[in-house]
Amino acid sequence: MSTAFIILLVLAFFIFMSSFFTVKQQSSVVIERFGKFHSVRNSGLQLKIPVVDRLAGRVNLKIQQLDVIIETKTKDNVFIKMKVSVQFKVIQDKVYDAFYKLEYPHDQITAYVFDVVRAEVPKLKLDDVFERKDDIAIAVKRELNEAMTTYGYDIINTLVTDIDPDIQVKNAMNRINAADREKTAAEFEAESSRIRIVAKAKAEAESKRLQGQGIADQRREIARGLVESVEVLNNVGINSQEASALIVVTQHYDTLQAIGADANSNLILLPNSPQAGSDMLNNMVASFTASNQVGEMMKKNNKKIEKPKPIQPQSGYEDDIQPEVK
């Protein structure tokens, strides 16, 4: 077998083998024949004409994600950086459009995201941007779907994954939040103090009421005891004045005894004698007796005092008017 035949045989083998190619799952291959689009081959083992057909390119049919970082400003002139994640894929029936109509699909998607975000965010204040980020994502998705469907791309979802204001704005927002929380804490502390003060005042009022009631009961019992003591003394021939004087002196000495029993009290006793104590008792008895006699006399000799009658002034002068007592 000649060498030329062997070379031809090897060359024919390689040409035959190059007629077969495989396409991976979730991808497509664009075939061109003499530089012109011929067909789209899907996953599996495929056949092409050697030299005549060529693989123009492979198209990924999986869902892809493109992260776009945009710097823009809000309505209240705060500059922020937003990260928008766009999830998209090539429509299987429109592989031709996706391969031939767009040279750089990622750049096209990025341009649309920039356009929509910079049209929507300047209408909102910073706080509204955080609250309505879903609305911004929906607006981006709607705009991208309208534009990219023509080129064979389907926008699965768009997400605003990050909103990053300037560092000074962050610090200011943190201070505002801290001040607001401190204000709330102060309000709760003030309310707690008010509740404690009200409860303490109510407790003190209840204590004073019970204390007053106790004192009133005590005085009532003392008065009842005095009445019973006077009745007992009257039964043994001691009149009311003498009984009252005796009770007062007894309470006086009871008080001195109670003060002397306390080790922490100081008691000052003035010079005195038994005769002086007897004179004091006699004086107290005489005082009560005299008081009683005066009261009896006033009852017996009750005099009526009439009001003075007014006298009309005469001859341009007024005389002193004295009350007439009958």
Side-chain angles (χ1 to χ4, degrees):
M1 188 179 294
S2 64
T3 304
F5 180 75
I6 294 175
I7 294 174
L8 291 175
L9 185 62
V10 172
L11 183 61
F13 176 76
F14 277 105
I15 292 174
F16 176 77
M17 292 300 298
S18 64
S19 300
F20 297 94
F21 66 95
T22 58
V23 181
K24 295 182 179 180
Q25 187 68 30
Q26 289 297 314
S27 62
S28 296
V29 173
V30 178
I31 302 296
E32 292 182 351
R33 180 170 294 175
F34 297 115
K36 182 181 179 181
F37 171 76
H38 178 263
S39 62
V40 175
R41 306 295 176 86
N42 295 319
S43 58
L45 180 63
Q46 301 291 338
L47 178 65
K48 66 180 180 66
I49 300 174
V51 182
V52 176
D53 297 337
R54 75 178 187 90
L55 277 66
R58 295 179 181 269
V59 177
N60 187 3
L61 300 180
K62 296 179 181 179
I63 297 176
Q64 306 176 59
Q65 178 168 309
L66 175 64
D67 295 330
V68 183
I69 297 177
I70 311 154
E71 184 175 7
T72 183
K73 77 170 184 174
T74 61
K75 187 176 181 180
D76 46 357
N77 295 324
V78 177
F79 283 89
I80 60 174
K81 288 184 179 179
M82 297 183 62
K83 182 178 180 181
V84 180
S85 298
V86 181
Q87 298 173 351
F88 64 97
K89 70 174 183 177
V90 176
I91 302 173
Q92 190 168 1
D93 297 337
K94 295 185 177 182
V95 174
Y96 173 85
D97 296 333
F99 186 78
Y100 285 103
K101 288 187 176 181
L102 284 180
E103 182 70 21
Y104 302 105
H106 288 189
D107 294 343
Q108 189 79 7
I109 294 174
T110 300
Y112 277 107
V113 172
F114 266 83
D115 181 66
V116 175
V117 170
R118 288 183 173 174
E120 294 292 331
V121 173
K123 301 177 183 178
L124 306 173
K125 293 183 178 180
L126 180 59
D127 293 339
D128 296 335
V129 172
F130 283 93
E131 295 177 0
R132 300 179 58 183
K133 68 182 186 67
D134 292 339
D135 296 339
I136 298 173
I138 292 172
V140 173
K141 180 181 178 181
R142 182 175 60 251
E143 187 71 18
L144 283 176
N145 266 329
E146 293 177 358
M148 299 303 295
T149 303
T150 307
Y151 303 113
Y153 287 88
D154 181 26
I155 306 301
I156 304 299
N157 202 359
T158 57
L159 303 171
V160 178
T161 57
D162 189 21
I163 300 174
D164 187 17
D166 185 79
I167 185 64
Q168 296 180 355
V169 178
K170 287 183 180 179
N171 294 334
M173 293 175 67
N174 290 333
R175 289 196 300 270
I176 292 172
N177 189 23
D180 184 63
R181 292 182 181 274
E182 289 177 358
K183 177 183 176 182
T184 304
E187 291 177 353
F188 278 108
E189 289 178 359
E191 181 66 18
S192 177
S193 299
R194 187 189 68 82
I195 293 174
R196 286 198 297 269
I197 292 172
V198 171
K200 183 178 179 181
K202 289 182 178 179
E204 290 180 354
E206 183 66 15
S207 175
K208 295 296 183 182
R209 187 184 67 81
L210 294 177
Q211 184 178 359
Q213 183 178 354
I215 293 173
D217 293 339
Q218 180 184 5
R219 291 177 177 175
R220 189 180 300 108
E221 293 300 323
I222 290 173
R224 186 179 293 111
L226 291 175
V227 171
E228 293 177 356
S229 298
V230 171
E231 291 178 355
V232 171
L233 292 175
N234 289 335
N235 293 332
V236 296
I238 300 175
N239 58 31
S240 299
Q241 289 79 12
E242 292 175 348
S244 299
L246 181 60
I247 291 172
V248 170
V249 173
T250 303
Q251 290 180 345
H252 173 73
Y253 283 108
D254 289 342
T255 303
L256 294 179
Q257 183 179 1
I259 295 174
D262 190 356
N264 296 325
S265 64
N266 296 323
L267 179 61
I268 300 176
L269 296 176
L270 298 176
N272 201 352
S273 63
Q275 183 63 32
S278 177
D279 293 341
M280 182 180 68
L281 177 59
N282 293 331
N283 291 335
M284 295 178 67
V285 172
S287 176
F288 278 106
T289 303
S291 176
N292 185 43
Q293 291 176 356
V294 171
E296 293 296 331
M297 291 176 64
M298 291 180 65
K299 292 179 180 179
K300 293 179 180 180
N301 302 320
N302 187 14
K303 297 181 180 181
K304 298 181 181 179
I305 301 175
E306 296 182 356
K307 295 183 180 179
K309 298 181 180 180
I311 301 175
Q312 299 296 331
Q314 297 178 0
S315 302
Y317 66 91
E318 296 180 1
D319 297 332
D320 293 336
I321 302 172
Q322 301 295 333
E324 181 179 359
V325 180
K326 293 184 180 179

